Amino acid sequence: MTSALWVGTSWKMTKTLAEGGAWTTGLRDRLDGTAPAGVQPFVIPSFTATTAVAGILGEDSPVLLGVQNAHWEDEGAWTGEVSVPQAKDAGAQIVEIGHSERREHFGETVETTRLKVATALRHGLTPLLCIGESAEVKDAGGSSEFILDQARGALEGLSEEELSRVVIAYEPIWAIGEKGRPATVEELVAPFAALGEVYSGKVTGLLYGGSVNLDNAASLLGIEHVTGLFVGRTAWNLEGYLELLRIAEAHARAAQ
Ligand code: PGA
């Protein structure tokens, strides 16, 4: 059995409630209650929009909802933080953990990603663990080793059952955002081979992220062990996201 291709977006720090509401309403109406065959859509808005997006999607939506971060403690004196139970209460099913922007600017470490993965799992949410190396590490030939260390560190000690509920997104830092450049398929084969050797079939998904666009999505999905896409800019526009879902659906059909 082939499992669904996970294709989703984090809005990062973009969109007002009105903008996010329009995007979500459009998605809900265009999907009309059914995910594209073989595809698992997901959306990760800002915290402020979580309940609004949950309300628009409604119960039994084919679109999973996530948050971009959550604390490892269930509650307490952690000013400015949001807990996993609070995220769950707001309607989240996924917790994004360890995005490179959080590692770079907000002190996220392998240890905090490990704590957060464990807490998300304990509350029945899907940890979406982001890993990725810098250009310096890549240029020194250390990509695979670096991302395996990040993954192993965050997933250390999990049972097989717990690991099976984790999604990993490999997002090389040099390929992310305005300053990034799209990775070529050739550059991604070796890192995904390394990840696939350890995690293929053992986790819910092995996603690629970083400058995914309408031109490269199909070939990225064709890389061995890639089972989904985690997308920023291209998907912030609803038509872009819908087109990515169509590309993934076509890929899933062809792979049947
Ligand atoms: P991007 O962002 O698609 O805009 O490069 C990707 C990410 O950070 O997940």
Side-chain angles (χ1 to χ4, degrees):
M1 191 198 89
T2 46
S3 45
L5 298 171
W6 282 51
V7 178
T9 180
S10 159
W11 293 348
K12 306 194 182 185
M13 198 173 70
T14 73
K15 296 194 190 297
T16 60
L17 285 176
E19 290 161 350
W23 188 101
T24 309
T25 304
L27 178 67
R28 180 197 62 198
D29 294 350
R30 297 279 282 277
L31 293 184
D32 200 17
T34 320
V39 182
Q40 175 58 69
F42 65 95
V43 56
I44 310 188
S46 299
F47 282 120
T48 50
T50 313
T51 43
V53 170
I56 294 166
L57 291 175
E59 289 192 8
D60 305 323
S61 171
V63 181
L64 295 176
L65 173 62
V67 289
Q68 297 174 20
N69 177 40
H71 201 270
W72 59 86
E73 292 287 345
D74 285 357
E75 65 173 3
W78 298 94
T79 298
E81 290 290 310
V82 171
S83 72
V84 173
Q86 288 175 319
K88 188 175 179 177
D89 183 44
Q93 296 140 308
I94 299 168
V95 184
E96 182 180 352
I97 296 167
H99 189 280
S100 62
E101 288 150 18
R102 295 213 56 85
R103 293 182 197 254
E104 181 182 352
H105 304 295
F106 301 103
E108 194 82 82
T109 62
V110 169
E111 174 62 6
T112 59
T113 61
R114 187 183 66 76
L115 292 168
K116 291 175 179 192
V117 165
T119 304
L121 288 169
R122 182 158 52 79
H123 289 284
L125 276 73
T126 300
L128 170 52
L129 173 70
C130 301
I131 55 175
E133 85 287 8
S134 64
E136 291 70 34
V137 171
K138 176 185 191 295
D139 292 346
S143 302
S144 297
E145 197 184 330
F146 186 88
I147 60 175
L148 279 177
D149 278 352
Q150 282 185 326
R152 283 202 188 98
L155 304 175
E156 190 188 307
L158 297 185
S159 68
E160 258 179 54
E161 185 278 328
E162 287 166 331
L163 191 59
S164 74
R165 292 191 278 128
V166 171
V167 174
I168 298 175
Y170 169 47
E171 306 201 303
I173 298 168
W174 46 269
I176 290 177
E178 294 294 342
K179 294 188 207 124
R181 64 156 179 91
T184 64
V185 166
E186 294 69 43
E187 287 173 310
L188 298 177
V189 168
F192 272 104
L195 287 172
E197 198 179 322
V198 183
Y199 296 109
S200 196
K202 301 204 168 115
V203 292
T204 297
L206 276 179
L207 280 45
Y208 173 73
S211 295
V212 173
N213 59 45
L214 302 183
D215 295 326
N216 64 15
S219 51
L220 293 168
L221 285 169
I223 297 169
E224 190 171 12
H225 302 301
V226 171
T227 66
L229 300 171
F230 191 23
V231 189
R233 293 157 296 158
T234 300
W236 293 347
N237 166 303
L238 179 60
E239 293 309 319
Y241 183 52
L242 288 167
E243 186 55 31
L244 289 172
L245 292 177
R246 275 190 285 273
I247 291 168
E249 184 178 23
H251 185 85
R253 278 192 203 287
Q256 265 177 2

